[in-house]
Amino acid sequence: MIPYWFSAMTMGAVGRAAHDMVVHVRNEFEEHEDILKPDPDTGMTRQPDYSACIRISTEASLKEMIPPGALVMGTPLIVGFIFGCKALAGVLIGALVSGVCGAISASNTGGAWDNAKKYIEQNKLKDRNDNILGKNTDAHKAAVVGDTIGD
C-alpha cells in the first residue's frame, strides 16, 4: 500500500506544481500580449520570464516532497516501535512486493504505448470505415501523449 500512497502523493504534487506554472504562464500572456512577437521597430521579441517557471518548479519540488518523504521514512519507524519487528517485516515485505508489481505494470504500460504509437505511425490503424489513422490524427496525438508518460 505504501508504494501506491507514495505514488499518489508525488503525482498530486506534480499536478499542483504544473497548475501553478500554467496559471503563471497564462497571467504572463494576459499581462504581456507581445511575448514572443517581434517588435516592428527593433525586430526583437519580448522573452517570457523563464526564471519564474524555474522558481515555481524548484519551490514546489522542495516543498511538495516533504510529505511523501515523511511517509516512506516515518512508516517503518512508527510500525517498528509501536507494533514490533514482525509487523515491520510485514510492512516492508508488503511494500516491496506491491512496489515490484507496480513497477512491472508501469514498465509494460510504457512499452504498450510506445508500440501503439509505432503502429499508428506505420499507418496500420484503421477506423470502422477502413480509413487509415496515421500521423497528425487524434489517435496519434493520444499515443504520443501516452508514450511520453510511459517513458
Side-chain angles (χ1 to χ4, degrees):
M1 191 69 187
I2 292 172
Y4 298 104
W5 191 4
F6 175 83
S7 297
M9 292 172 81
T10 56
M11 285 186 273
V14 169
R16 287 187 293 277
H19 177 265
D20 291 346
M21 198 171 300
V22 167
V23 167
H24 168 75
V25 170
R26 280 185 184 158
N27 289 340
E28 193 169 9
F29 272 100
E30 287 174 4
E31 292 172 11
H32 307 286
E33 294 179 6
D34 59 340
I35 289 179
L36 301 178
K37 293 180 183 172
D39 185 288
D41 298 329
T42 63
M44 301 291 288
T45 58
R46 179 186 184 96
Q47 294 296 311
D49 186 7
Y50 295 114
S51 61
C53 290
I54 293 169
R55 180 183 44 76
I56 290 169
S57 178
T58 304
E59 288 176 0
S61 66
L62 293 172
K63 181 182 79 172
E64 295 281 352
M65 286 309 293
I66 292 172
L71 172 72
V72 297
M73 298 298 290
T75 299
L77 293 173
I78 292 169
V79 169
F81 283 122
I82 294 176
F83 300 108
C85 291
K86 290 182 181 179
L88 175 59
V91 166
L92 293 176
I93 291 169
L96 181 64
V97 170
S98 64
V100 167
C101 291
I104 292 170
S105 174
S107 175
N108 288 336
T109 304
W113 275 112
D114 186 46
N115 291 341
K117 183 185 74 159
K118 290 175 184 174
Y119 187 80
I120 293 168
E121 289 173 348
Q122 292 172 356
N123 294 325
K124 293 183 178 179
L125 182 66
K126 296 181 180 178
D127 64 8
R128 293 180 184 150
N129 300 323
D130 267 353
N131 297 320
I132 294 174
L133 299 175
K135 285 188 175 183
N136 300 320
T137 62
D138 287 340
H140 183 253
K141 291 174 187 173
V144 168
V145 170
D147 183 39
T148 303
I149 294 168
D151 288 342

